[in-house]
Amino acid sequence: MTSIVNNQWYVAAYGREIGRDLFSRTICGESILFWRTEAGAVTAMSDRCVHRRFPLSESPSHLLGDTVVCGYHGFTYGADGKCVAVPGQSRIPRTARLRSYPVVEQDSFVWVFIGDPALAETTRIPRAPWLALDGWTTVSGMEPLAARASLLVDNLLDLSHETYLHGGYIGTPEVAETPITTEVDEDAGIVYVSRRMADAACPPFYAKSTGITGRITRWQDIEYTPPCLYTLHSRIAPAGVLPHDDGTDPDAFHVEVVYAITPETEHSTHDFWAVARDFALDDQGVSDFLAENNRTVVLQDVAALDVLERVIATEPDGYQELSINIDTGGLAARRMLARLAGAAPASAAR
Ligand code: FES
Ligand SMILES: [Fe+2]
């Protein structure tokens, strides 16, 4: 059975990755071709010519105005995927059409809908507004993961691993020591996991970027909208400093750590990461530091999850795991993903 959840929106790319060059990425096992029309709209269609399957992203395939010309025998397709010209005859076969995908550009991401296009409601795309909002500065990237997407979901929903896997970057002892609270909003389809540390050491990631020298109040509020979008609302303030009664929070530093978890295949994943901050907005040194450090942290996760994928791929079916309190959020996410996939609920999903 496939572990990939169909009929869902997935992040396929950053908007900046797609221009007037032919760009291909495999999303949920489907090779998809992306390019921008002359007016700037993003298109998404199958990256396989209907004639002999030549990839339209491969040279010498090319764009000609708002059409893409197959580099093998010249079948030519419009922005909607419909074939508009074939060589040697004027009659174009009725079935000469590339599968096209609903696509939306939002919050700096390009989202595609994988599944039945009739079910593609754009209002269901989860939001990450900070990534393209005035008053925030964002650094971002994407790392390929040779592991199934569910391992990254597990990883991100349990941040106690920061203490061990990311010590010296974002981990301090208090992260693993502090209990979490988990809430599931079944109607909205969101898993929340919170860990609020009243008096914690400030890890280098935040000490260097904010300039705080002493101990901190550190809040980690996770919001995961299966299958694709994860946000960690991170609040950093000098120890004891809390938001005002009216909800304003001028003395804290806010960081929105956003991940888009997009299956490439059953056993590989596009790990999109972004770090948006509401301080030091024009400080390139802070941007460079956060970009380099977050990428390092992501690569620490990638290395661990790549190992884990190789190990569990060789485990006999029905292997046992042992879950504890820190896994509550991850287990809730698994149940929600299993339900979205139309699979058996709760217990069988574990
Ligand atoms: S494979 Fe594309 S035109 Fe023949
Ligand atoms: Fe991690």
Side-chain angles (χ1 to χ4, degrees):
M1 190 195 76
T2 176
S3 66
I4 293 175
V5 182
N6 243 325
N7 294 324
Q8 297 289 333
W9 291 95
Y10 288 95
V11 169
Y14 291 105
R16 64 175 183 256
E17 293 183 282
I18 298 172
R20 292 289 292 165
D21 292 321
L22 296 167
F23 177 90
S24 181
R25 186 162 278 158
T26 299
I27 308 294
C28 299
E30 302 185 18
S31 277
I32 305 181
L33 175 76
F34 299 91
W35 49 277
R36 272 184 206 276
T37 65
E38 289 179 327
V42 177
T43 67
M45 59 193 74
S46 167
D47 189 22
R48 297 288 182 269
C49 180
V50 296
H51 180 225
R52 291 292 179 267
R53 310 291 295 162
F54 190 76
L56 295 160
S57 57
E58 285 290 327
S59 175
S61 298
H62 59 276
L63 284 178
L64 189 64
D66 280 347
T67 63
V68 55
V69 182
C70 178
Y72 196 178
H73 315 91
F75 273 50
T76 301
Y77 304 92
D80 58 359
K82 195 161 176 279
C83 184
V84 294
V86 297
Q89 62 183 60
S90 57
R91 193 188 70 79
I92 298 169
R94 199 173 35 81
T95 55
R97 171 186 275 280
L98 299 172
R99 175 172 178 195
S100 77
Y101 295 80
V103 63
V104 169
E105 200 168 3
Q106 185 166 278
D107 302 332
S108 83
F109 289 132
V110 172
W111 293 84
V112 287
F113 190 82
I114 301 296
D116 177 356
L119 302 175
E121 291 170 43
T122 55
T123 52
R124 285 178 49 215
I125 302 174
R127 300 300 304 261
W130 318 275
L131 307 189
L133 208 60
D134 281 349
W136 294 80
T137 297
T138 301
V139 294
S140 60
M142 192 278 273
E143 311 305 328
L145 180 64
R148 64 196 73 185
S150 61
L151 291 180
L152 183 55
V153 174
D154 272 355
N155 170 279
L156 289 169
L157 281 161
D158 167 25
L159 296 182
S160 64
H161 79 270
E162 288 183 350
T163 304
Y164 299 93
L165 198 54
H166 307 306
Y169 290 87
I170 53 176
T172 69
E174 295 85 2
V175 182
E177 284 164 8
T178 307
I180 53 166
T181 58
T182 304
E183 273 176 53
V184 180
D185 184 334
E186 301 283 357
D187 293 335
I190 300 175
V191 179
Y192 299 94
V193 180
S194 281
R195 175 182 276 113
R196 295 192 166 188
M197 295 159 268
D199 181 10
C202 192
F205 187 81
Y206 288 119
K208 291 207 176 108
S209 57
T210 65
I212 292 183
T213 51
R215 297 191 51 94
I216 55 171
T217 292
R218 181 178 185 187
W219 292 359
Q220 295 178 319
D221 296 323
I222 294 169
E223 200 173 321
Y224 172 51
T225 310
C228 191
L229 195 75
Y230 167 101
T231 301
L232 166 63
H233 309 288
S234 179
R235 177 186 184 274
I236 307 293
V241 172
L242 296 174
H244 295 182
D245 288 342
D246 64 1
T248 58
D249 196 15
D251 302 319
F253 299 85
H254 301 94
V255 177
E256 300 288 343
V257 186
V258 177
Y259 284 85
I261 304 158
T262 301
E264 178 189 41
T265 66
E266 287 277 347
H267 298 281
S268 60
T269 304
H270 304 297
D271 183 352
F272 292 90
W273 58 267
V275 177
R277 65 181 191 273
D278 70 350
F279 55 91
L281 297 182
D282 300 319
D283 191 327
Q284 190 59 41
V286 171
S287 291
D288 293 345
F289 172 80
L290 288 176
E292 191 194 319
N293 269 259
N294 204 69
R295 180 161 186 269
T296 301
V297 164
V298 170
L299 291 176
Q300 288 168 340
D301 285 323
V302 166
L305 297 181
D306 285 1
V307 168
L308 200 48
E309 174 65 38
R310 288 199 296 275
V311 168
I312 63 175
T314 62
E315 293 279 322
D317 280 350
Y319 63 86
Q320 292 292 313
E321 294 177 322
L322 191 153
S323 297
I324 60 172
N325 289 343
I326 57 170
D327 302 305
T328 312
L331 293 175
R334 287 188 193 182
R335 283 193 291 274
M336 215 175 255
L337 284 166
R339 211 159 30 244
L340 290 176
S347 55
R350 294 182 189 184

